[in-house]
Amino acid sequence: MTELLPVDRYLVDSLPTIWFGVVVFSLAMYVALDGLDFGIGMLYATRDEHERETLLSAFGPIWDANEVWLVAFGTTLLAAFPPIYARLLSGHYLLSIAIVMGLLVRGVAPELREQRDDPDWRRRCDRLFVFGSTVTPLLLGVLVGSWAFGTPTLSAPSLLTGVGLVALCVTSGAAFVAAKTSGSLADAMVRYGTTATVVYLVGVVALLAVAALANPSNVRALLLSAPALGAVLATVSFAGAGLAAARLGRHRLWFGTAFGLSFALVGLVAALLYPRVHPASGLTVDAAVVSPLALNLTTVLGLPVLALVLWYFKFLYGTFAGPVDGANA
Amino acid sequence: MSATGALIDGTVLLAENNILLSPEFASRVQFGWTITVHILFAALSIGLAPYIVYFTWKDVRSDDPAYARLREFWINVFAVGFVMGTVTGIPMSFQFGTNFPRFAEVSGELIGGPLAFEAKMAFFLEAVFLGILLFGRERVSDRTYVLSSILTGVGAWLSGFWILVVNAWMQTPRGFELVRRNGMEIARLTDPVAAFFTPRMPWMYVHMMNASVIAVTLVVAGIAAYFVWRKRDSEAWNTALRMAVVVLLITAPLQALHGDAYGRHVADTQPQKFAAMEAHYETGQADLHLIAIPRSLDALTDPRTDTLFTISLPGLGSFLASGGDFSAEVVGLHEYDENPPVALVFWSFRLMVGLGFLFVGLALWGGNRLRKGRLSDSGRYLRAMMLSSPLGYVALLTGWYVTEIGRQPWVVQDVLKTSDAVSRSLTATAATGTLVAFVLLYLALLAAFGAVLKWLIEGELERMGVRTVDDTSRPRLPWVSGDD
């Protein structure tokens, strides 16, 4: 294999940048897809027993596959930029451990709920499900905020990113459920989703203002760069289009804009992280990337599979397309 | 040597305040505990996958309601196990970053690729097609449905492959050179084929996959035996029991033979681990201890030939290690500065091997009864299978302990010590705190899984008509009632 793959140069010169892009793409897929799962989990708190079953029918077949994007993100980061993986996680020890524990509670609770037809048992599982679905995106947002702005865990930019991510997840979840149901449930989703979108926009504006004023890790210049401004513009456009689509009852289109919002947020994060991919230590993409042979190998074996994975998701979402089972019962 | 000192040679146990655990020790125990729980569910996916495929295929192909029952019951178990495997699997790779960041940074080029391939090639496959398998029976064709069960299984086995590529590299690292980068000496990939297919890889893959099948087969057999004991003419569960016995007849002897050759390979490639497995301290001829019984409490934590009552084969250790020479010199533990916790390795190894022979015995016993067509007649055999159902997992875990604890003090054999891999910024408070949290959370998880299994079994009893919903008179366990 060493004869087939160049040992001392990257397959293309921009390969490290391409892999920075793959890391970002995996994170965006995670935020967009598991984000809708978190959103469902939070909106779940507002529903009655019958509608909860409907939400779980929408959630059941897809959440586990969605969650794997977090693993894809983490392992891609490790495979391409090991020092960043090591510094990011060890630098946010309690936060990282709390996130995996939150994911555990979120994942197990609905599975356990379905195993027993006992109201007390179900109430307890439901509480854990809502708790895990709320806390995990909040902490994940704080982690991503700390990473992008190079700030401590308890700082305004980190916390605002956390709150913003929670609002974004509610938007995604509401749009997804609205697209798969009808009647009063879909109407309620439009109400919650609209509020969440407005909260999200306010959160993003506050975040940008705080970051520009406090200027942690000298992000002000980066915030005014074309990619960052583009991400902000995309955020405003997707949010506006989403609000209009929700109002017009075009729920599938609305979900599309929520997907776009997630990508715009991660795009903003990427604009802050390139090329200084770990602001807290100043490590750049070129300093952190693995050697040519390792990255060439990951490219040849990993990238085609990523295309296949996208096809799996098309198949999965296609199979469970249309109204949720029992939604109109 | 004090009892605790012997268990964890060379590792600082407590933090400076003598209350909290040291970051290193807490991290090691935390990783060990979280992998112990995770491996139960990972092995469940791997071992149950072939059964799921078979039951699904038979159910779709025939109208036999027995297979529909078996498919439904075991897919339920698989689904809950898979969720628990996912949520306990994510903390594993995270801990490479949180607790052992120097391991991630030093060996990132070697382990990052395989871990990323595991996620992309295997984990997605398993998760996506399990969604179809669980929720898509009415939404896809029979053919796609069977294919989904196969792809779910392929995902589980492929996942095991890439994880063991990483683990085998940690045992017998190849295909790299050490270079300086960002002020640290790191392993740079030089030969991917050598790095992925290390000498240990094929040994480990066969042994671990087979161990998973055996562990799950014993669970299947135990549960089937229980249902058969409750209702002797249950068609579905007699079928499952027969199947499990046949699978055990193939896998249990294979594991014993394979394990023997694997031991020789370990002696060649990791002599220190081999010495720890036999508690062989003085360099020279090594005996093989067939049976070892501690003569005192000290012998449990610090096994030595003079504190153990052993039945040994003189020179057989040398014979195995050298491949035929009874007097070959085997390097003893005294030759090394730091050793793994010998007691854990020594006793884990004995337990694993002893259980391996027990499984061969159970397989032959069942095979003999099967040949006579009287498998379910014997209350004694059914009882034995029920009692043995968790033992495959005990063997799997103890085998894993031999492999991983026996590699200490190295995290990557002869390249990086575990103590050097631990995070420098980790405080004793944080490390001890998360360890306690993981212990409590995972105990709750195990209890929940046990409860789910119990409910599934109760549900099946109701369906079989041997237990009604209001049935408060609990049946006595078979080994109490004795109904031969």
Side-chain angles (χ1 to χ4, degrees):
Chain A
M1 199 179 291
T2 39
E3 295 80 43
L4 300 175
L5 283 175
V7 173
D8 47 6
R9 62 181 172 80
Y10 295 106
L11 286 169
V12 291
D13 287 344
S14 55
L15 203 59
T17 303
I18 291 173
W19 275 95
F20 174 77
V22 177
V23 169
V24 168
F25 174 76
S26 304
L27 181 62
M29 286 297 279
Y30 179 69
V31 169
L33 293 176
D34 213 15
L36 79 86
D37 300 327
F38 292 133
I40 290 176
M42 287 184 268
L43 290 160
Y44 188 86
T46 68
R47 301 295 91 197
D48 65 19
E49 179 61 26
H50 174 69
E51 289 181 338
R52 287 183 170 188
E53 294 285 347
T54 306
L55 292 193
L56 286 182
S57 308
F59 172 86
I62 53 168
W63 74 271
D64 208 319
N66 292 343
E67 188 175 297
V68 178
W69 281 104
L70 181 66
V71 183
F73 160 71
T75 54
T76 306
L77 186 62
L78 174 62
F81 309 102
I84 308 300
Y85 185 81
R87 285 168 204 209
L88 183 65
L89 294 181
S90 64
H92 297 95
Y93 182 79
L94 290 174
L95 198 52
S96 307
I97 299 284
I99 288 169
V100 294
M101 288 182 172
L103 280 171
L104 187 143
V105 170
R106 186 282 302 258
V108 170
E111 188 68 31
L112 291 179
R113 175 193 205 271
E114 295 305 299
Q115 303 294 336
R116 205 167 192 201
D117 204 2
D118 168 9
D120 280 342
W121 170 259
R122 294 201 155 186
R123 209 163 24 247
R124 247 173 263 149
C125 291
D126 286 348
R127 265 188 225 130
L128 287 174
F129 180 45
V130 173
F131 174 76
S133 300
T134 313
V135 165
T136 311
L138 180 70
L139 297 179
L140 186 75
V142 172
L143 177 66
V144 171
S146 303
W147 180 18
F149 296 102
T151 50
T153 305
L154 289 176
S155 64
S158 310
L159 295 173
L160 278 170
T161 313
V163 173
L165 189 60
V166 168
L168 178 61
C169 290
V170 173
T171 306
S172 297
F176 185 74
V177 174
K180 295 184 81 69
T181 56
S182 53
S184 63
L185 180 55
D187 293 342
M189 291 300 111
V190 170
R191 283 198 308 279
Y192 283 107
T194 304
T195 311
T197 307
V198 174
V199 171
Y200 178 63
L201 277 178
V202 172
V204 169
V205 170
L207 173 66
L208 293 174
V210 166
L213 285 174
N215 196 22
S217 318
N218 289 316
V219 293
R220 194 182 293 147
L222 286 170
L223 282 174
L224 294 172
S225 68
L229 290 176
V232 173
L233 188 66
T235 298
V236 175
S237 316
F238 280 126
L243 289 172
R247 179 160 302 228
L248 294 172
R250 303 277 306 276
H251 295 154
R252 286 176 67 100
L253 178 66
W254 181 28
F255 178 65
T257 66
F259 208 87
L261 270 183
S262 301
F263 269 73
L265 174 67
V266 177
L268 178 64
V269 168
L272 299 179
L273 288 176
Y274 189 85
R276 195 185 46 170
V277 68
H278 191 245
S281 68
L283 212 57
T284 62
V285 165
D286 287 336
V289 73
V290 292
S291 64
L293 179 62
L295 199 62
N296 292 345
L297 182 76
T298 310
T299 306
V300 171
L301 286 180
L303 273 193
V305 180
L306 200 59
L308 189 64
V309 167
L310 292 176
W311 180 82
Y312 296 160
F313 273 78
K314 191 166 167 286
F315 179 70
L316 180 70
Y317 280 77
T319 300
F320 295 100
V324 178
D325 292 328
N328 302 316
Chain B
M1 196 181 279
S2 75
T4 44
L7 269 171
I8 14 93
D9 313 50
T11 303
V12 183
L13 273 190
L14 294 177
E16 279 162 13
N17 62 13
N18 277 323
I19 298 168
L20 299 164
L21 300 178
S22 75
E24 181 196 343
F25 186 61
S27 295
R28 285 175 59 172
V29 175
Q30 178 174 298
F31 197 88
W33 165 246
T34 50
I35 192 87
T36 294
V37 175
H38 173 63
I39 218 169
L40 300 175
F41 299 113
L44 182 69
S45 294
I46 289 166
L48 202 49
Y51 287 96
I52 299 283
V53 171
Y54 182 74
F55 293 149
T56 305
W57 180 67
K58 290 294 269 188
D59 176 31
V60 168
R61 285 291 298 269
S62 71
D63 289 330
D64 190 343
Y67 288 105
R69 282 308 309 151
L70 291 174
R71 175 181 71 81
E72 201 180 312
F73 183 88
W74 290 110
I75 282 187
N76 276 332
V77 175
F78 190 86
V80 180
F82 182 79
V83 167
M84 303 214 163
T86 306
V87 297
T88 56
I90 292 174
M92 301 322 308
S93 59
F94 261 65
Q95 285 176 86
F96 292 161
T98 52
N99 295 70
F100 302 99
R102 282 169 179 255
F103 171 57
E105 192 157 356
V106 169
S107 42
E109 289 201 9
L110 280 299
I111 66 167
L115 288 173
F117 301 148
E118 191 245 351
K120 293 195 183 83
M121 293 181 193
F123 206 174
F124 274 126
L125 190 70
E126 204 180 354
V128 166
F129 288 98
L130 184 68
I132 308 271
L133 197 62
L134 292 181
F135 298 93
R137 186 71 188 92
E138 308 302 321
R139 285 174 180 259
V140 298
S141 68
D142 281 356
R143 182 190 294 247
T144 309
Y145 192 70
V146 173
L147 188 66
S148 297
S149 76
I150 295 171
L151 290 175
T152 306
V154 168
W157 282 60
L158 204 55
S159 182
F161 172 83
W162 285 116
I163 292 301
L164 293 179
V165 162
V166 172
N167 198 269
W169 184 81
M170 291 160 65
Q171 312 287 340
T172 51
R174 299 285 188 279
F176 69 98
E177 63 182 9
L178 291 173
V179 297
R180 281 200 83 75
R181 189 180 299 159
N182 296 320
M184 191 184 287
E185 195 158 64
I186 66 124
R188 193 171 78 101
L189 179 70
T190 55
D191 183 347
V193 177
F196 289 1
F197 299 97
T198 56
R200 180 60 50 81
M201 176 57 206
W203 290 107
M204 213 174 211
Y205 192 67
V206 172
H207 211 64
M208 187 66 193
M209 296 295 116
N210 202 37
S212 303
V213 173
I214 292 173
V216 169
T217 298
L218 284 167
V219 171
V220 171
I223 289 175
Y226 177 67
F227 288 133
V228 169
W229 173 72
R230 294 298 301 274
K231 191 179 179 193
R232 293 288 162 119
D233 59 351
S234 162
E235 200 199 327
W237 292 105
N238 272 300
T239 305
L241 184 60
R242 278 197 302 275
M243 255 189 81
V245 169
V246 171
V247 172
L248 203 60
L249 266 172
I250 301 164
T251 51
L254 172 70
Q255 193 75 343
L257 293 173
H258 182 265
D260 172 53
Y262 186 0
R264 229 166 300 161
H265 164 77
V266 170
D268 281 346
T269 50
Q270 292 178 302
Q272 191 179 6
K273 182 191 286 180
F274 186 79
M277 282 153 62
E278 292 296 337
H280 178 66
Y281 281 90
E282 306 293 341
T283 300
Q285 189 196 43
D287 305 337
L288 186 84
H289 307 306
L290 276 185
I291 294 175
I293 298 162
R295 282 202 289 219
S296 66
L297 219 52
D298 271 354
L300 264 182
T301 55
D302 184 21
R304 309 279 176 135
T305 37
D306 53 349
T307 58
L308 295 168
F309 171 75
T310 58
I311 298 174
S312 311
L313 297 176
L316 200 67
S318 295
F319 180 84
L320 286 179
S322 63
D325 180 0
F326 281 101
S327 57
E329 193 173 86
V330 172
V331 175
L333 292 168
H334 282 322
E335 306 289 326
Y336 300 94
D337 295 338
E338 272 183 78
N339 275 311
V342 176
L344 282 175
V345 180
F346 180 84
W347 291 114
S348 294
F349 183 63
R350 288 211 141 54
L351 196 53
M352 176 194 74
V353 172
L355 288 171
F357 283 117
L358 173 70
F359 304 154
V360 174
L362 286 174
L364 294 177
W365 181 10
N368 189 39
R369 297 207 71 91
L370 193 61
R371 193 172 52 84
K372 294 181 188 158
R374 292 168 45 200
L375 190 59
S376 57
D377 295 355
S378 164
R380 189 173 293 156
Y381 188 69
L382 296 180
R383 275 205 300 271
M385 293 315 278
M386 282 182 253
L387 282 169
S388 305
S389 66
L391 296 183
Y393 270 112
V394 175
L396 184 140
L397 281 177
T398 47
W400 193 248
Y401 294 156
V402 172
T403 305
E404 306 307 312
I405 300 173
R407 191 193 55 237
Q408 305 300 331
W410 302 98
V411 62
V412 181
Q413 183 76 46
D414 300 325
V415 175
L416 181 68
K417 285 198 171 160
T418 311
S419 53
D420 293 329
V422 176
S423 170
R424 300 290 146 86
S425 58
L426 184 57
T427 63
T429 316
T432 310
T434 57
L435 170 62
V436 171
F438 267 123
V439 169
L440 296 177
L441 192 61
Y442 279 26
L443 283 177
L445 195 71
L446 290 174
F449 186 75
V452 168
L453 208 53
K454 179 169 164 277
W455 297 332
L456 286 173
I457 289 171
E458 285 171 357
E460 180 66 15
L461 287 176
E462 276 166 31
R463 203 207 52 83
M464 289 162 71
V466 291
R467 180 183 188 274
T468 54
V469 184
D470 311 318
D471 191 356
T472 46
S473 61
R474 295 194 159 273
R476 286 192 299 163
L477 289 169
W479 40 92
V480 181
S481 68
D483 66 334
D484 278 72

